Amino acid sequence: MKSIVTIIAMSVIGTLSAQAVLIADFDSGSKPNNVGGDFGAWDKDPADNSQYAREAFSRKVTRNGQGASMEITYDVDSPKAAYNGFWMKLGNLDARDKSQVVFWAKGDEKKGCTERFKVELKTAGERGSFYVDGVTTEWTKVVIPLDEFNITDMSQLDELVIVFEDHTSRPKEGILYIDDVVIE
Ligand SMILES: [Ca+2]
Ligand SMILES: [Ca+2]
């Protein structure tokens, strides 16, 4: 399990480079995302009310002070094994000329948020994962090199998934905001 994510706190996002694809800025406050993909929260065990994730658009907390962000409320505090999170379709993006996934993340100041969570990248036939560390209550730029997912065929990216796990999430209940998801 590698976790060598590059986190640059509050860095200025520049003009998107030619090969950058904006996946989701959430600014419309509705689905789909910027590549026509659906998204939402998911639960390992919907029958267990003590563990859940919920998604909502936030217009109060956004990376650049306008539009909206995605607010993900999670609870992995359960007597049972618990994990949940957020999934988003990537429009079968051809990422063979891309090098990294970039998004912005912020933990909620009042409810708190785990510093560590898992990010999965999926194609029709492959899946890779990577642990993000160091999320704070300030907007933080998360950069994950695509190589870290060890996916051999990057020609059709299907889905990006955020996973909160009971054994790595501290606190076990919190709110994570994400914004400006780019693959470049
Ligand atoms: Ca936004
Ligand atoms: Ca709970």
Side-chain angles (χ1 to χ4, degrees), residues 22-142:
L22 176 63
I23 302 295
D25 60 14
F26 305 109
D27 286 352
S28 70
S30 63
K31 297 177 181 180
N33 62 19
N34 300 67
V35 292
D38 199 2
F39 51 84
W42 60 273
D43 293 334
K44 168 190 175 273
D45 184 358
D48 177 5
N49 290 331
S50 68
Q51 59 174 294
Y52 61 86
R54 304 274 183 270
E55 92 276 11
F57 293 96
S58 174
R59 293 194 177 278
K60 287 184 183 170
V61 180
T62 72
R63 188 190 67 78
N64 58 6
Q66 52 193 352
S69 73
M70 180 48 51
E71 175 180 338
I72 309 163
T73 303
Y74 71 90
D75 180 343
V76 290
D77 190 0
S78 167
K80 300 180 183 176
Y83 51 92
N84 49 49
F86 178 80
W87 58 272
M88 185 159 69
K89 292 293 182 181
L90 301 173
N92 287 324
L93 180 75
D94 184 348
R96 285 175 293 185
D97 64 342
K98 313 290 189 255
S99 61
Q100 55 196 23
V101 177
V102 179
F103 61 91
W104 291 72
K106 179 186 187 307
D108 190 75
E109 287 157 29
K110 289 181 182 168
K111 294 281 185 181
C113 181
T114 180
E115 288 183 19
R116 181 174 171 82
F117 58 86
K118 187 162 75 174
V119 174
E120 293 181 341
L121 192 64
K122 296 180 184 178
T123 67
E126 295 179 86
R127 171 196 303 223
S129 65
F130 188 85
Y131 280 92
V132 170
D133 256 315
V135 171
T136 71
T137 55
E138 301 293 330
W139 281 109
T140 301
K141 187 178 185 181
V142 177

